[in-house]
Amino acid sequence: MSEEISTKGERTRHAILDAAYRLFIEQGYHATSMRRIADGAGLALGGIYNHFPSKEDIYTALLLERHPYHKILPVLQSADGKTTEEYIRNAANALINELGGHPEILNFALIEIVEFEARHTSMLFANIFPQILPLTRRIADTQNNLRSIPLPVILRAFLGMFFSYYITDILIASVMPAEMRRNALDHFVDIFLHGIIKPE
Amino acid sequence: MSEEISTKGERTRHAILDAAYRLFIEQGYHATSMRRIADGAGLALGGIYNHFPSKEDIYTALLLERHPYHKILPVLQSADGKTTEEYIRNAANALINELGGHPEILNFALIEIVEFEARHTSMLFANIFPQILPLTRRIADTQNNLRSIPLPVILRAFLGMFFSYYITDILIASVMPAEMRRNALDHFVDIFLHGIIKPE
DNA sequence: CCTACCGATCGGTAGG
DNA sequence: CCTACCGATCGGTAGG
């Protein structure tokens, strides 16, 4: 992400991706026009086509370079914690710090479902796959007394818990009854932990 | 849903909504044109405007009349079960039966996030709100030994668990490692149950 | 409810 | 990388 941006071409490409990323997250793919992307990147419409052959190519480039898993998986990989409980709580906090006040970045995953019928996921998954095994190993390495649930399912459930927290938050955010929000994420994490750890 | 459809006007209106519903779920809102909706409903483009003033009005009508919560909440309300565990397992099974092989109906909730920045949710929530309290009461009525988690949060977590199961399923469906899929929903339900019920 | 049309905007390109 | 343009399609409407 923070590599040196050397050539001018690379800088322009970067500006196009930045603008498209912001607009896609804000209004979705089909509602975003190439003209607005060009505006956002500070060039004329035709200029974009020196860097990307089509609108969908901008999208797939973003899918490969900035899908939320790029932020999420490294955080999970590097979270501390000897016991499973420690690890999960740390990972959850780290994720909150990372995604922070910007849950919209998860929108990028939703666009793929809503506007593309998940057509690019196999491509995307080929990209993610190598990171799955180390991550389950990271979880397996915690000192744990886990219920007998396959580790990949535990990983999936953890990611799902996070996702569902954000989605329910966005969907009913300001109108949600206060009792539904208070400490909701803490409760979600507690439910998850009690769900995967054997009681003494 | 299965009310008598009497007048011709009502039947046409219904056909328009049906066609739009199918197309929106398949390709999203902005990728769906009024012409294709008209085709799907079996009339000419202009004919739609005898029933709806604009494309967005078709969408909001669907939001109020066919949002997935219309299927989900009644199922939760009427599920059997004396103990909490019985109730949750029955509710989960009933939901699976209801949504069955059609997880795409959840797409409708995602469109609102991705393509409308959740702009209509307060309207929608006003609609849903009266059904929340009875539902938390239904949960409270089960013979339970629950951990101290507010009931609305439990409800939110249950809905979220379901949602996250479907989303992770869609997102990485055919490419997901087999170990991530095997009995995944059962595991999700188990995690949830152990998460909310005190051990003996 | 259809036909025939409107202005606007879309993704993309040629040519320099 | 911009200017000026292309054909296609968009949401919506007038008039009958």
Side-chain angles (χ1 to χ4, degrees):
Chain A
M1 285 292 164
S2 52
E3 294 154 36
E4 317 281 297
I5 292 153
S6 32
T7 75
K8 176 147 193 232
E10 280 167 14
R11 244 177 294 141
T12 305
R13 187 191 131 95
H14 199 265
I16 294 170
L17 289 177
D18 273 352
Y21 184 73
R22 222 174 329 111
L23 290 165
F24 288 165
I25 278 185
E26 203 177 302
Q27 8 173 332
Y29 175 83
H30 285 98
T32 299
S33 70
M34 291 295 266
R35 276 150 184 91
R36 289 212 48 185
I37 295 174
D39 284 354
L43 38 63
L45 168 65
I48 292 186
Y49 292 91
N50 295 314
H51 299 270
F52 297 94
S54 75
K55 185 182 175 186
E56 184 158 349
D57 282 286
I58 298 180
Y59 173 75
T60 53
L62 286 173
L63 211 50
L64 291 177
E65 298 174 26
R66 309 209 190 170
H67 192 275
Y69 85 79
H70 274 112
K71 295 204 169 210
I72 293 172
L73 296 190
V75 166
L76 296 190
Q77 186 61 45
S78 66
D80 288 329
K82 284 187 178 175
T83 67
T84 309
E85 174 163 2
E86 252 179 54
Y87 170 70
I88 293 290
R89 290 197 192 280
N90 287 340
N93 284 332
L95 272 184
I96 287 288
N97 282 341
E98 188 70 18
L99 304 189
H102 302 289
E104 335 82 51
I105 77 162
L106 293 181
N107 278 17
F108 214 87
L110 302 184
I111 290 175
E112 174 64 10
I113 298 179
V114 169
E115 303 197 77
F116 291 97
E117 300 183 275
R119 235 178 283 133
H120 309 89
T121 41
S122 69
M123 179 187 83
L124 185 62
F125 200 77
N127 232 264
I128 298 179
F129 189 70
Q131 303 187 48
I132 297 291
L133 193 60
L135 207 49
T136 58
R137 211 178 290 130
R138 174 71 188 85
I139 298 176
D141 282 350
T142 56
Q143 286 168 22
N144 47 25
N145 193 16
L146 296 185
R147 301 178 194 278
S148 64
I149 309 167
L151 285 176
V153 173
I154 288 185
L155 178 57
R156 177 177 168 187
F158 180 75
L159 293 171
M161 176 201 72
F162 230 82
F163 218 79
S164 76
Y165 170 74
Y166 271 118
I167 291 209
T168 51
D169 196 63
I170 295 171
L171 260 183
I172 42 183
S174 58
V175 285
M176 191 161 22
E179 324 86 57
M180 238 169 169
R181 308 198 73 184
R182 213 181 332 271
N183 300 326
L185 183 62
D186 291 338
H187 287 304
F188 272 43
V189 172
D190 284 343
I191 291 172
F192 178 74
L193 280 173
H194 286 128
I196 64 166
I197 298 177
K198 272 197 194 126
E200 344 254 287
Chain B
M1 285 290 164
S2 53
E3 294 153 36
E4 316 282 299
I5 291 155
S6 32
T7 75
K8 178 150 194 228
E10 278 167 14
R11 243 176 297 140
T12 305
R13 186 191 131 94
H14 199 266
I16 294 169
L17 290 177
D18 272 354
Y21 184 72
R22 221 172 330 110
L23 290 165
F24 288 164
I25 278 185
E26 204 177 302
Q27 8 174 335
Y29 176 84
H30 285 97
T32 299
S33 70
M34 290 296 266
R35 277 151 184 89
R36 289 212 49 184
I37 295 174
D39 283 353
L43 38 64
L45 168 66
I48 292 184
Y49 293 90
N50 295 314
H51 298 271
F52 297 94
S54 75
K55 186 183 175 186
E56 185 160 349
D57 282 286
I58 298 179
Y59 173 76
T60 53
L62 286 173
L63 210 51
L64 291 177
E65 298 173 28
R66 310 210 190 170
H67 192 277
Y69 84 80
H70 274 112
K71 293 205 170 208
I72 293 172
L73 296 190
V75 167
L76 296 190
Q77 186 62 44
S78 65
D80 287 328
K82 283 188 180 175
T83 67
T84 309
E85 174 163 3
E86 253 180 51
Y87 169 70
I88 293 290
R89 289 197 191 279
N90 287 340
N93 284 332
L95 272 185
I96 287 290
N97 282 341
E98 188 70 18
L99 304 189
H102 302 290
E104 335 82 50
I105 77 162
L106 293 181
N107 279 16
F108 215 86
L110 302 184
I111 290 175
E112 174 64 9
I113 297 178
V114 169
E115 304 198 76
F116 290 98
E117 299 183 274
R119 234 178 283 131
H120 309 89
T121 41
S122 71
M123 178 188 84
L124 185 61
F125 200 77
N127 232 263
I128 298 180
F129 188 71
Q131 303 187 50
I132 297 289
L133 193 60
L135 208 48
T136 57
R137 212 178 288 131
R138 173 73 188 82
I139 298 175
D141 281 350
T142 57
Q143 286 166 22
N144 47 25
N145 192 15
L146 296 185
R147 300 179 195 277
S148 65
I149 309 166
L151 286 175
V153 172
I154 289 186
L155 178 57
R156 178 177 167 186
F158 180 75
L159 292 171
M161 176 202 72
F162 229 82
F163 219 78
S164 76
Y165 170 75
Y166 271 118
I167 291 208
T168 52
D169 196 63
I170 295 171
L171 261 184
I172 42 183
S174 57
V175 284
M176 192 160 23
E179 325 85 58
M180 237 169 169
R181 308 198 72 184
R182 213 180 335 267
N183 300 326
L185 183 63
D186 291 337
H187 286 304
F188 271 42
V189 172
D190 284 343
I191 291 173
F192 178 74
L193 280 172
H194 286 128
I196 65 166
I197 298 177
K198 273 199 193 123
E200 346 254 284

